[in-house]
PDB file of all heavy atoms in Angstrom:
ATOM      1  N   ILE I  95     -15.753  13.274   1.291  1.00 88.00           N
ATOM      2  CA  ILE I  95     -15.163  13.946   0.131  1.00 88.00           C
ATOM      3  C   ILE I  95     -16.274  14.114  -0.888  1.00 88.00           C
ATOM      4  O   ILE I  95     -17.008  13.169  -1.170  1.00 88.00           O
ATOM      5  CB  ILE I  95     -14.014  13.126  -0.498  1.00 88.00           C
ATOM      6  CG1 ILE I  95     -12.733  13.276   0.299  1.00 88.00           C
ATOM      7  CG2 ILE I  95     -13.746  13.558  -1.937  1.00 88.00           C
ATOM      8  CD1 ILE I  95     -11.563  12.507  -0.271  1.00 88.00           C
ATOM      9  N   VAL I  96     -16.390  15.332  -1.440  1.00 77.00           N
ATOM     10  CA  VAL I  96     -17.422  15.563  -2.447  1.00 77.00           C
ATOM     11  C   VAL I  96     -16.786  15.827  -3.792  1.00 77.00           C
ATOM     12  O   VAL I  96     -15.584  16.053  -3.896  1.00 77.00           O
ATOM     13  CB  VAL I  96     -18.351  16.735  -2.062  1.00 77.00           C
ATOM     14  CG1 VAL I  96     -19.052  16.433  -0.762  1.00 77.00           C
ATOM     15  CG2 VAL I  96     -17.563  18.024  -1.970  1.00 77.00           C
ATOM     16  N   GLY I  97     -17.626  15.846  -4.810  1.00 64.00           N
ATOM     17  CA  GLY I  97     -17.110  15.913  -6.176  1.00 64.00           C
ATOM     18  C   GLY I  97     -17.185  17.249  -6.840  1.00 64.00           C
ATOM     19  O   GLY I  97     -17.039  17.335  -8.049  1.00 64.00           O
ATOM     20  N   THR I  98     -17.388  18.318  -6.067  1.00 54.00           N
ATOM     21  CA  THR I  98     -17.424  19.635  -6.705  1.00 54.00           C
ATOM     22  C   THR I  98     -16.019  20.079  -7.057  1.00 54.00           C
ATOM     23  O   THR I  98     -15.058  19.735  -6.396  1.00 54.00           O
ATOM     24  CB  THR I  98     -18.058  20.689  -5.783  1.00 54.00           C
ATOM     25  OG1 THR I  98     -17.342  20.681  -4.547  1.00 54.00           O
ATOM     26  CG2 THR I  98     -19.506  20.362  -5.528  1.00 54.00           C
ATOM     27  N   THR I  99     -15.926  20.854  -8.097  1.00 49.00           N
ATOM     28  CA  THR I  99     -14.633  21.242  -8.628  1.00 49.00           C
ATOM     29  C   THR I  99     -13.765  21.956  -7.594  1.00 49.00           C
ATOM     30  O   THR I  99     -12.572  21.691  -7.475  1.00 49.00           O
ATOM     31  CB  THR I  99     -14.796  22.169  -9.843  1.00 49.00           C
ATOM     32  OG1 THR I  99     -15.600  21.499 -10.814  1.00 49.00           O
ATOM     33  CG2 THR I  99     -13.443  22.510 -10.448  1.00 49.00           C
ATOM     34  N   ASP I 100     -14.365  22.843  -6.823  1.00 48.00           N
ATOM     35  CA  ASP I 100     -13.549  23.646  -5.921  1.00 48.00           C
ATOM     36  C   ASP I 100     -13.151  22.903  -4.660  1.00 48.00           C
ATOM     37  O   ASP I 100     -12.322  23.373  -3.902  1.00 48.00           O
ATOM     38  CB  ASP I 100     -14.282  24.945  -5.538  1.00 48.00           C
ATOM     39  CG  ASP I 100     -15.590  24.658  -4.816  1.00 48.00           C
ATOM     40  OD1 ASP I 100     -16.049  23.508  -4.837  1.00 48.00           O
ATOM     41  OD2 ASP I 100     -16.144  25.604  -4.235  1.00 48.00           O
ATOM     42  N   SER I 101     -13.706  21.783  -4.413  1.00 49.00           N
ATOM     43  CA  SER I 101     -13.346  21.078  -3.179  1.00 49.00           C
ATOM     44  C   SER I 101     -13.018  19.617  -3.424  1.00 49.00           C
ATOM     45  O   SER I 101     -12.941  18.831  -2.496  1.00 49.00           O
ATOM     46  CB  SER I 101     -14.471  21.178  -2.157  1.00 49.00           C
ATOM     47  OG  SER I 101     -15.637  20.538  -2.646  1.00 49.00           O
ATOM     48  N   TRP I 102     -12.799  19.279  -4.671  1.00 59.00           N
ATOM     49  CA  TRP I 102     -12.551  17.892  -5.026  1.00 59.00           C
ATOM     50  C   TRP I 102     -11.325  17.366  -4.294  1.00 59.00           C
ATOM     51  O   TRP I 102     -10.247  17.935  -4.362  1.00 59.00           O
ATOM     52  CB  TRP I 102     -12.352  17.784  -6.525  1.00 59.00           C
ATOM     53  CG  TRP I 102     -12.342  16.410  -7.087  1.00 59.00           C
ATOM     54  CD1 TRP I 102     -11.445  15.914  -7.975  1.00 59.00           C
ATOM     55  CD2 TRP I 102     -13.261  15.354  -6.850  1.00 59.00           C
ATOM     56  NE1 TRP I 102     -11.752  14.624  -8.303  1.00 59.00           N
ATOM     57  CE2 TRP I 102     -12.873  14.254  -7.629  1.00 59.00           C
ATOM     58  CE3 TRP I 102     -14.406  15.225  -6.051  1.00 59.00           C
ATOM     59  CZ2 TRP I 102     -13.561  13.050  -7.646  1.00 59.00           C
ATOM     60  CZ3 TRP I 102     -15.088  14.024  -6.060  1.00 59.00           C
ATOM     61  CH2 TRP I 102     -14.658  12.952  -6.853  1.00 59.00           C
ATOM     62  N   GLY I 103     -11.526  16.321  -3.598  1.00 69.00           N
ATOM     63  CA  GLY I 103     -10.423  15.706  -2.889  1.00 69.00           C
ATOM     64  C   GLY I 103     -10.251  16.197  -1.473  1.00 69.00           C
ATOM     65  O   GLY I 103      -9.468  15.626  -0.726  1.00 69.00           O
ATOM     66  N   LYS I 104     -10.948  17.252  -1.060  1.00 81.00           N
ATOM     67  CA  LYS I 104     -10.781  17.739   0.307  1.00 81.00           C
ATOM     68  C   LYS I 104     -11.645  16.927   1.259  1.00 81.00           C
ATOM     69  O   LYS I 104     -12.849  16.797   1.070  1.00 81.00           O
ATOM     70  CB  LYS I 104     -11.199  19.206   0.399  1.00 81.00           C
ATOM     71  CG  LYS I 104     -10.307  20.169  -0.356  1.00 81.00           C
ATOM     72  CD  LYS I 104     -10.766  21.595  -0.104  1.00 81.00           C
ATOM     73  CE  LYS I 104      -9.920  22.577  -0.877  1.00 81.00           C
ATOM     74  NZ  LYS I 104     -10.368  23.971  -0.626  1.00 81.00           N
ATOM     75  N   LEU I 105     -11.009  16.420   2.291  1.00 88.00           N
ATOM     76  CA  LEU I 105     -11.708  15.651   3.302  1.00 88.00           C
ATOM     77  C   LEU I 105     -12.322  16.574   4.345  1.00 88.00           C
ATOM     78  O   LEU I 105     -11.635  17.407   4.928  1.00 88.00           O
ATOM     79  CB  LEU I 105     -10.745  14.697   3.994  1.00 88.00           C
ATOM     80  CG  LEU I 105     -10.641  13.279   3.458  1.00 88.00           C
ATOM     81  CD1 LEU I 105      -9.499  12.551   4.126  1.00 88.00           C
ATOM     82  CD2 LEU I 105     -11.941  12.519   3.649  1.00 88.00           C
ATOM     83  N   GLN I 106     -13.626  16.393   4.577  1.00 91.00           N
ATOM     84  CA  GLN I 106     -14.307  17.131   5.634  1.00 91.00           C
ATOM     85  C   GLN I 106     -14.511  16.156   6.782  1.00 91.00           C
ATOM     86  O   GLN I 106     -15.245  15.169   6.631  1.00 91.00           O
ATOM     87  CB  GLN I 106     -15.651  17.657   5.128  1.00 91.00           C
ATOM     88  CG  GLN I 106     -16.462  18.402   6.172  1.00 91.00           C
ATOM     89  CD  GLN I 106     -15.905  19.760   6.475  1.00 91.00           C
ATOM     90  OE1 GLN I 106     -15.518  20.503   5.577  1.00 91.00           O
ATOM     91  NE2 GLN I 106     -15.849  20.106   7.740  1.00 91.00           N
ATOM     92  N   PHE I 107     -13.890  16.410   7.916  1.00 96.00           N
ATOM     93  CA  PHE I 107     -13.977  15.500   9.047  1.00 96.00           C
ATOM     94  C   PHE I 107     -15.090  15.900  10.005  1.00 96.00           C
ATOM     95  O   PHE I 107     -15.377  17.086  10.192  1.00 96.00           O
ATOM     96  CB  PHE I 107     -12.654  15.496   9.832  1.00 96.00           C
ATOM     97  CG  PHE I 107     -11.559  14.704   9.185  1.00 96.00           C
ATOM     98  CD1 PHE I 107     -10.701  15.291   8.270  1.00 96.00           C
ATOM     99  CD2 PHE I 107     -11.381  13.364   9.495  1.00 96.00           C
ATOM    100  CE1 PHE I 107      -9.689  14.570   7.669  1.00 96.00           C
ATOM    101  CE2 PHE I 107     -10.371  12.624   8.906  1.00 96.00           C
ATOM    102  CZ  PHE I 107      -9.531  13.228   7.996  1.00 96.00           C
ATOM    103  N   GLY I 108     -15.668  14.887  10.629  1.00 97.00           N
ATOM    104  CA  GLY I 108     -16.559  15.151  11.742  1.00 97.00           C
ATOM    105  C   GLY I 108     -15.726  15.451  12.985  1.00 97.00           C
ATOM    106  O   GLY I 108     -14.500  15.386  12.957  1.00 97.00           O
ATOM    107  N   ALA I 109     -16.403  15.752  14.075  1.00 97.00           N
ATOM    108  CA  ALA I 109     -15.705  16.139  15.302  1.00 97.00           C
ATOM    109  C   ALA I 109     -15.030  14.965  15.999  1.00 97.00           C
ATOM    110  O   ALA I 109     -14.157  15.159  16.838  1.00 97.00           O
ATOM    111  CB  ALA I 109     -16.688  16.808  16.262  1.00 97.00           C
ATOM    112  N   GLY I 110     -15.448  13.770  15.632  1.00 98.00           N
ATOM    113  CA  GLY I 110     -14.844  12.589  16.237  1.00 98.00           C
ATOM    114  C   GLY I 110     -15.612  12.096  17.456  1.00 98.00           C
ATOM    115  O   GLY I 110     -16.265  12.880  18.162  1.00 98.00           O
ATOM    116  N   THR I 111     -15.548  10.807  17.690  1.00 98.00           N
ATOM    117  CA  THR I 111     -16.157  10.186  18.868  1.00 98.00           C
ATOM    118  C   THR I 111     -15.091   9.392  19.601  1.00 98.00           C
ATOM    119  O   THR I 111     -14.461   8.506  19.011  1.00 98.00           O
ATOM    120  CB  THR I 111     -17.317   9.250  18.480  1.00 98.00           C
ATOM    121  OG1 THR I 111     -18.346   9.998  17.826  1.00 98.00           O
ATOM    122  CG2 THR I 111     -17.894   8.579  19.723  1.00 98.00           C
ATOM    123  N   GLN I 112     -14.894   9.720  20.854  1.00 98.00           N
ATOM    124  CA  GLN I 112     -13.934   8.988  21.684  1.00 98.00           C
ATOM    125  C   GLN I 112     -14.611   7.734  22.203  1.00 98.00           C
ATOM    126  O   GLN I 112     -15.659   7.813  22.858  1.00 98.00           O
ATOM    127  CB  GLN I 112     -13.479   9.852  22.857  1.00 98.00           C
ATOM    128  CG  GLN I 112     -12.630   9.122  23.889  1.00 98.00           C
ATOM    129  CD  GLN I 112     -11.193   8.949  23.453  1.00 98.00           C
ATOM    130  OE1 GLN I 112     -10.503   9.927  23.189  1.00 98.00           O
ATOM    131  NE2 GLN I 112     -10.729   7.720  23.368  1.00 98.00           N
ATOM    132  N   VAL I 113     -14.040   6.587  21.912  1.00 98.00           N
ATOM    133  CA  VAL I 113     -14.554   5.318  22.427  1.00 98.00           C
ATOM    134  C   VAL I 113     -13.614   4.824  23.517  1.00 98.00           C
ATOM    135  O   VAL I 113     -12.410   4.709  23.292  1.00 98.00           O
ATOM    136  CB  VAL I 113     -14.676   4.273  21.302  1.00 98.00           C
ATOM    137  CG1 VAL I 113     -15.043   2.911  21.890  1.00 98.00           C
ATOM    138  CG2 VAL I 113     -15.721   4.707  20.280  1.00 98.00           C
TER     139      VAL I 113
END
Side-chain angles (χ1 to χ4, degrees):
Chain I
I95 281 181
V96 299
T98 55
T99 304
D100 61 346
S101 63
W102 191 226
K104 293 184 182 180
L105 266 171
Q106 178 73 43
F107 283 89
T111 298
Q112 172 79 59
V113 173

